Amino acid sequence: MIKSVISDARAAAGIFRDMQKMRKQGREVVIEKRLQIPFIKSGGFYNTVEGCAMSWLNREIVLRAQEAFASLPDEEKHRLQFVPQDGEFIDRARLWRDIFKPVMTEKQCLIAVSCIIEWYVHIKKMQTGKGGAS
């Protein structure tokens, strides 16, 4: 903490010294204020269709699913936050199965993937108007 305060004070003194030199040389001094805004590349497990669908499952399964999701690269997490489109459901179910396999028992994986597939069926029914809430 003290080191950072000292280095900030040194940096400020250096900037002030440079500004004085510029003014003495007749150069214009322009000060810009910049903010660093954090950018979050990906959301959490519950930002996915699958995470929401699994939220009511056994706590151990959900915790393992969250752990598996957390280990994914940010790009993959971001991609999974969008609802699967036509033609993507089967590949996406396989992807989730592969994500879960290392952290779940065979039975837990079966329960989790079955839950996801059931929700995909619900999504398809809603898209075609053949069931589900509209």
Side-chain angles (χ1 to χ4, degrees):
M1 172 74 180
I2 292 176
K3 262 187 174 180
S4 65
V5 171
I6 292 171
S7 66
D8 288 349
R10 283 185 180 154
I15 292 168
F16 183 73
R17 188 175 43 250
D18 293 344
M19 288 172 49
Q20 285 180 323
K21 284 180 186 176
M22 289 174 68
R23 283 195 180 109
K24 284 181 184 177
Q25 296 170 354
R27 295 169 47 197
E28 181 181 350
V29 177
V30 178
I31 299 172
E32 291 182 19
K33 183 176 181 178
R34 295 184 181 199
L35 276 179
Q36 186 171 1
I37 301 172
F39 177 74
I40 300 171
K41 291 183 180 179
S42 63
F45 179 64
Y46 291 112
N47 288 73
T48 66
V49 168
E50 297 81 3
C52 291
M54 292 177 57
S55 65
W56 61 273
L57 291 179
N58 173 286
R59 181 168 166 73
E60 181 67 24
I61 293 173
V62 174
L63 290 175
R64 288 179 185 236
Q66 288 175 323
E67 172 189 327
F69 181 81
S71 71
L72 297 174
D74 282 340
E75 296 79 24
E76 189 71 15
K77 290 179 199 173
H78 180 74
R79 192 175 70 77
L80 289 170
Q81 290 179 46
F82 300 95
V83 177
Q85 301 302 308
D86 285 337
E88 296 178 348
F89 289 95
I90 294 171
D91 289 338
R92 188 140 157 180
R94 286 182 181 139
L95 172 67
W96 280 104
R97 181 197 61 205
D98 293 343
I99 291 169
F100 294 154
K101 270 187 176 181
V103 297
M104 291 185 185
T105 66
E106 191 174 326
K107 183 178 179 180
Q108 289 172 328
C109 190
L110 178 64
I111 291 168
V113 174
S114 296
C115 174
I116 289 170
I117 291 170
E118 285 177 26
W119 196 250
Y120 288 168
V121 169
H122 174 72
I123 291 170
K124 291 298 290 178
K125 284 180 180 178
M126 286 177 42
Q127 288 175 342
T128 60
K130 294 183 179 177
S134 297

